Amino acid sequence: MKKAFILLLVIVFMLTGCGGNPHYEEDLKDTAGTILDSAAAVEEIANEYANIWSFSIQSGTAIEVKDMSEATGLGEDDIREHFQLNAAGNVPGDFSTNVGSLRSYFEGTGKLDEVKKSSDEIKEKMSKLKDPPSKFEKAYDEMLDMYAYYKEYA
C-alpha cells in the first residue's frame, strides 16, 4: 500500500508539471485515485479477515455473539445473520468457519461486488490510457507499476 501511495505522489508530481493534453492528464489522475480508493477497500477487507482469523484462534472456544460483535465491529444482528451459530447461540471458535462467515457477510453487504466492479473499472480505465502522449510516457509507466501492485493484492 505504501508503494502505491508513493507511486501516486510521483504521478501527481509529474502531472502537475506537464502541460498539453488535459484530458489525458485528468484520466491519469482519475485512474490513480480509483486505484488508491480500491486498494484501501481491499486492505480494509484483508484486515477484517486477519482480525477474525486471529480472534477466533485466540478464543479457542465458542464465542458469544456480543464478543464477536465487539471484536469485529459488526453489529450483533449481522453476526447472527451471517455467522454460523451453535445450539447455544454462540459463534464456533473455528477460524475457518468464521472466515467463511465473514465472506458471507461481505457478499451479503455487496462489499466483494464493489471491489470486483472497481477492479473491472480500473482495468477499463487502464486500457484507455494506452499510447500516452510523449509528455506522459513516464507517468504512464509509473501508473503501470502502480496497477501491477494493485492487481497483486486486489
Side-chain angles (χ1 to χ4, degrees):
M1 189 66 184
K2 288 181 183 180
K3 287 182 182 181
F5 182 71
I6 291 169
L7 284 172
L8 176 67
L9 289 177
V10 169
I11 290 168
V12 169
F13 176 74
M14 291 169 59
L15 291 176
T16 57
C18 296
N21 195 343
H23 179 69
Y24 190 87
E25 181 177 340
E26 284 303 312
D27 289 348
L28 204 56
K29 286 179 182 179
D30 180 57
T31 303
T34 304
I35 289 172
L36 281 179
D37 290 345
S38 184
V42 170
E43 182 178 32
E44 181 181 317
I45 289 171
N47 286 338
E48 290 183 48
Y49 276 119
N51 181 42
I52 202 160
W53 178 79
S54 176
F55 183 71
S56 298
I57 289 174
Q58 289 174 358
S59 295
T61 186
I63 305 163
E64 290 186 29
V65 170
K66 174 182 72 74
D67 294 335
M68 182 61 84
S69 175
E70 289 173 6
T72 62
L74 301 177
E76 290 184 24
D77 289 340
D78 290 326
I79 300 295
R80 287 186 189 92
E81 180 179 347
H82 296 283
F83 284 67
Q84 291 184 11
L85 302 178
N86 62 21
N90 296 319
V91 177
D94 177 61
F95 74 89
S96 179
T97 300
N98 293 338
V99 165
S101 295
L102 187 60
R103 180 178 179 91
S104 169
Y105 168 77
F106 288 139
E107 288 172 344
T109 59
K111 282 189 176 185
L112 296 181
D113 287 338
E114 288 173 20
V115 168
K116 172 71 171 123
K117 181 180 174 186
S118 180
S119 181
D120 291 344
E121 178 184 344
I122 291 166
K123 184 177 181 178
E124 183 179 320
K125 287 180 177 189
M126 288 300 296
S127 71
K128 290 179 180 178
L129 291 173
K130 290 180 182 176
D131 302 320
S134 61
K135 293 178 183 179
F136 296 102
E137 286 178 358
K138 184 151 176 66
Y140 176 73
D141 289 343
E142 294 293 334
M143 179 65 77
L144 284 176
D145 288 343
M146 184 177 174
Y147 182 54
Y149 290 127
Y150 170 78
K151 288 192 328 183
E152 188 175 331
Y153 296 105

